[in-house]
Amino acid sequence: MPLEDFLAVLDDVRTVMDPGKITVQTVGGEPLVRKDLVECGRAIRERGFHWAMVSNGLLLDEKMCARLLDAGLESIAISMDGFAEDHNWIRDSKFSFAGAERAVKCLVGKKLTWDVITCVNKRNIGYLEDFKRYLIDLGVRKWRIFTIVPMGRAVNYPELQLSDEQFRELMDFIVKVRKENAIRLSYSCEGFLGEYEWQVRNAPFFCHAGVGVASILADGSISGCLSIRSQYHQGNIYKERFTDVWENKFQQYREREWMHTGPCTDCNMWDFCLGNGMHLREDDGKMMLCRYK
């Protein structure tokens, strides 16, 4: 997408909302492959928005870090999915782990908010304790753990999916680490967790997609968050004003009684969960995964 097309959306948003209360997060793919990313970030900040980013770290060295900070970057997350062999396997690059490690070393001591994101799977769950110590020694103070949803290409790789027993093991690990308080660890927004709510996150589950979060894809599509299937796109910036879409659409996201079917029909957690995360819904509305169940 040409940068001017995206900036036109931000200018539209500024007419109806306070940009100082909004964070624009540049994600991918990998945002740093855009040669105009620094220009993009600077324009975001000049318009009064906060600017954050998620990166694999491959292109983040001291020089780039300085440029990003000068442009006004306030928050960044670096993906590190285990030690070198497993991280490089999941990223399909023999250079990926070294790049991510270098990126983290660049961030230590810098004046911005940053953390490390780890996607836990069958290959790395067995050494999370060792990986925790490695991150602490590296200088990481904040850590977020995700699990991988069986959608897209992930369906074809059983190594990416935890068993029910492994998932509970992961929850217990997060509870333990949070009590130790040597590193601030939390679990991602992936679904309601029943008894583990408040124990593995800083706030109880709520799917903010389409309620407090919107996304613009590279083709101009407007969605809730980037993990949600195209069936739930709400419009396109090349056909409609973003603010019109935000204010007048997103009913599927904000009125979720349509989810009160299937396994949700008689679930006594409905009032707390409200049908789980939007990204866990198939094109036909059926739930692909329920961590609580």
Side-chain angles (χ1 to χ4, degrees):
M1 178 186 295
L3 178 55
E4 60 267 24
D5 295 351
F6 177 66
L7 296 181
V9 174
L10 297 189
D11 290 334
D12 175 32
V13 170
R14 285 199 300 165
T15 65
V16 296
M17 302 176 194
D18 178 0
K21 296 181 179 179
I22 299 172
T23 295
V24 178
Q25 182 148 269
T26 47
V27 298
E30 172 51 44
L32 283 171
V33 301
R34 279 196 69 117
K35 297 186 184 304
D36 62 354
L37 183 71
V38 173
E39 178 188 349
C40 175
R42 194 181 304 277
I44 289 169
R45 295 293 290 124
E46 287 173 349
R47 284 162 170 77
F49 296 89
H50 299 284
W51 179 33
M53 183 167 65
V54 179
S55 173
N56 62 25
L58 267 171
L59 300 176
L60 185 60
D61 55 16
E62 286 287 354
K63 182 178 179 180
M64 177 55 72
C65 189
R67 293 181 65 203
L68 294 171
L69 289 171
D70 180 67
L73 183 68
E74 296 171 279
S75 176
I76 186 169
I78 303 297
S79 295
M80 295 191 79
D81 299 317
F83 290 120
E85 180 180 355
D86 295 322
H87 176 91
N88 289 343
W89 169 78
I90 199 171
R91 299 280 159 179
D92 197 23
S93 168
K94 64 182 180 180
F95 306 108
S96 189
F97 182 82
E101 185 179 65
R102 182 195 61 227
V104 168
K105 290 179 179 178
C106 289
L107 294 171
V108 173
K110 297 295 192 299
K111 291 184 178 180
L112 80 168
T113 299
W114 64 276
D115 64 358
V116 164
I117 293 174
T118 299
C119 288
V120 175
N121 54 75
K122 280 186 169 69
R123 291 176 63 127
N124 61 19
I125 190 171
Y127 59 72
L128 288 180
E129 184 65 34
D130 290 339
F131 193 61
K132 176 200 73 176
R133 288 194 290 269
Y134 158 78
L135 292 178
I136 292 172
D137 290 343
L138 197 59
V140 177
R141 296 294 174 259
K142 292 177 67 179
W143 185 23
R144 275 183 292 162
I145 279 180
F146 283 66
T147 43
I148 301 173
V149 179
M151 63 187 291
R153 288 178 294 174
V155 174
N156 302 318
Y157 293 88
E159 304 103 310
L160 296 178
Q161 312 302 324
L162 298 179
S163 67
D164 291 347
E165 292 77 16
Q166 287 173 324
F167 186 78
R168 185 173 285 273
E169 175 188 338
L170 174 61
M171 294 298 102
D172 291 337
F173 170 79
I174 295 174
V175 171
K176 178 183 76 71
V177 173
R178 285 169 67 88
K179 289 179 179 178
E180 293 170 351
N181 203 32
I183 187 171
R184 285 180 286 171
L185 175 60
S186 63
Y187 181 62
S188 71
C189 58
E190 191 197 309
F192 179 72
L193 298 171
E195 66 188 89
Y196 287 105
E197 292 294 333
W198 286 109
Q199 295 192 73
V200 298
R201 299 186 182 111
N202 297 328
F205 169 75
F206 179 76
C207 181
H208 290 273
V211 179
V213 174
S215 297
I216 299 171
L217 283 72
D219 65 355
S221 297
I222 302 169
S223 184
C225 87
L226 294 177
S227 298
I228 296 172
R229 294 168 180 269
S230 59
Q231 175 72 18
Y232 301 100
H233 289 176
Q234 298 296 299
N236 191 291
I237 66 167
Y238 291 113
K239 298 177 181 178
E240 304 149 280
R241 286 182 62 198
F242 172 83
T243 52
D244 287 343
V245 173
W246 178 255
E247 292 177 356
N248 299 304
K249 293 190 177 182
F250 283 96
Q251 284 83 6
Q252 284 176 301
Y253 292 78
R254 299 168 186 173
E255 301 166 8
R256 301 198 179 186
E257 273 298 319
W258 63 271
M259 292 182 172
H260 205 182
T261 58
C264 295
T265 305
D266 57 358
C267 180
N268 60 4
M269 291 292 136
W270 167 261
D271 289 341
F272 304 98
C273 175
L274 296 177
N276 229 321
M278 281 288 297
H279 70 293
L280 298 174
R281 294 285 167 168
E282 301 276 10
D283 286 345
D284 60 4
K286 292 181 180 178
M287 194 184 323
M288 71 176 75
L289 178 70
C290 173
R291 294 296 187 190
Y292 173 68
K293 293 289 186 182

